[in-house]
Amino acid sequence: MSANKNIILIAGKLGLHEWQVENTIRLMDDSATIPFISRYRKEMTGSLDEVKLLHIKDEYQRLKDLDSRREAVIKSIEEQEKMTPELMSKIESVLTMTELEDIYLPFRPKRRTRATIAREKGLEPLAAIIMEQKERDPRQKAEEFLNVDVKSVDEAIAGASDIIAEWISEDEKARRQLRRRFEKEAVIISKVVKGKESEGIKFSDYYEWSEPLRKCPSHRLLAMRRGEDEGFLRLTIEPDGGNALDI
């Protein structure tokens, strides 16, 4: 993304004039410090205070890092000869590192996984059939995929499930929707570690505790995290299971 576009984005996000952002970035690129700019270059920034200057600096660095990573992602996908005009447009339009990494995930060089092994055993077509959810009896269909490497229906179904799990985990839309579910609906659950009831008595309020994560005050979250770090509590954070499956 060009420097001019980044200036427009920063100005829009922070509610500033583009010239204020452009001049501030130019001064920072010339090694001027935030206190110096705030005190001695008011005429160039429109008298921006140190807080606003710091916001510009942080956002400018974030976008620079994003552009650098974007270039690396584009290069990697092009080297794999998998780039398409639609994919390029999507990559060029993202505004966060999370979005970019979600797009890149299916193209990232992979280590050998259970899904990889299942593909090598010829189970990807079975995974596609199950994924379509049109087969009335997947287990019966799985019998067609038994071979020297796949000796039972259970093994075939398990391998196909590994492939499906990888597909879903790499699906950009599913990841985005699940992330939003976590933000809105995630519940933090705290339980005492078995056998630690007496020793961890100071954390007894959280031996059986759950509440929506977005409503959990910071002091309570820190207390539960401390209890986990000290080995007295076991924490889990998860969205509503039924709603997550709707994705």
Side-chain angles (χ1 to χ4, degrees):
M1 190 172 291
S2 70
N4 285 340
K5 286 185 178 179
N6 284 346
I7 289 170
I8 293 170
L9 287 172
I10 295 170
K13 182 174 182 177
L14 301 181
L16 301 172
H17 295 292
E18 291 174 21
W19 64 266
Q20 291 177 294
V21 175
E22 184 175 7
N23 287 345
T24 298
I25 290 173
R26 185 181 299 116
L27 289 166
M28 290 178 178
D29 284 343
D30 289 338
S31 301
T33 65
I34 287 178
F36 176 85
I37 297 171
S38 175
R39 294 171 189 170
Y40 304 114
R41 293 295 182 267
K42 295 179 183 291
E43 74 285 354
M44 294 184 66
T45 68
S47 299
L48 295 179
D49 60 27
E50 291 191 17
V51 173
K52 290 179 180 176
L53 293 172
L54 182 59
H55 286 163
I56 292 174
K57 179 181 179 181
D58 289 345
E59 193 64 15
Y60 178 51
Q61 186 61 53
R62 184 187 72 81
L63 291 175
K64 282 179 63 177
D65 292 343
L66 178 62
D67 287 340
S68 177
R69 180 59 177 159
R70 194 194 321 267
E71 290 178 7
V73 166
I74 290 172
K75 181 180 179 182
S76 174
I77 297 175
E78 287 179 339
E79 288 176 348
Q80 298 174 48
E81 299 183 352
K82 295 180 179 178
M83 183 62 75
T84 65
E86 293 79 13
L87 181 57
M88 177 66 81
S89 177
K90 187 181 292 186
I91 292 172
E92 290 180 338
S93 67
V94 297
L95 297 177
T96 69
M97 197 71 78
T98 299
E99 290 177 291
L100 180 60
E101 295 299 341
D102 279 352
I103 293 172
Y104 181 49
L105 186 58
F107 305 96
R108 186 191 299 274
K110 294 181 176 64
R111 58 182 176 81
R112 186 175 170 81
T113 64
R114 293 194 308 184
T116 305
I117 296 171
R119 288 190 183 92
E120 292 171 355
K121 293 179 178 180
L123 294 173
E124 190 160 23
L126 176 60
I129 291 170
I130 295 174
M131 190 72 166
E132 288 179 354
Q133 301 184 48
K134 295 180 180 179
E135 185 65 38
R136 296 182 63 182
D137 189 350
R139 294 185 64 83
Q140 182 177 347
K141 192 68 177 178
E143 293 178 359
E144 300 176 14
F145 293 86
L146 301 185
N147 54 45
V148 175
D149 297 318
V150 183
K151 302 185 183 302
S152 69
V153 168
D154 286 341
E155 186 178 348
I157 294 293
S161 298
D162 289 335
I163 295 172
I164 292 171
E166 187 170 275
W167 283 343
I168 294 173
S169 72
E170 293 181 349
D171 184 84
E172 177 195 352
K173 182 179 178 181
R175 290 171 67 86
R176 182 172 62 251
Q177 291 180 341
L178 189 57
R179 192 177 291 115
R180 288 174 180 168
R181 287 285 170 88
F182 263 94
E183 292 172 354
K184 295 180 179 180
E185 303 173 8
V187 174
I188 183 167
I189 302 168
S190 174
K191 295 182 180 294
V192 63
V193 174
K194 190 174 182 179
K196 296 284 188 176
E197 292 85 353
S198 298
E199 190 178 354
I201 192 66
K202 64 181 178 180
F203 298 106
S204 59
D205 287 347
Y206 309 115
Y207 280 1
E208 290 289 337
W209 183 271
S210 68
E211 68 177 312
L213 182 60
R214 61 188 175 85
K215 294 183 179 180
C216 181
S218 58
H219 70 272
R220 185 179 298 145
L221 180 59
L222 288 172
M224 288 188 284
R225 291 294 301 274
R226 187 165 61 251
E228 182 182 42
D229 290 342
E230 295 181 16
F232 302 121
L233 301 177
R234 182 174 291 107
L235 301 184
T236 57
I237 299 176
E238 56 191 36
D240 179 272
N243 288 339
L245 289 175
D246 290 341
I247 294 175

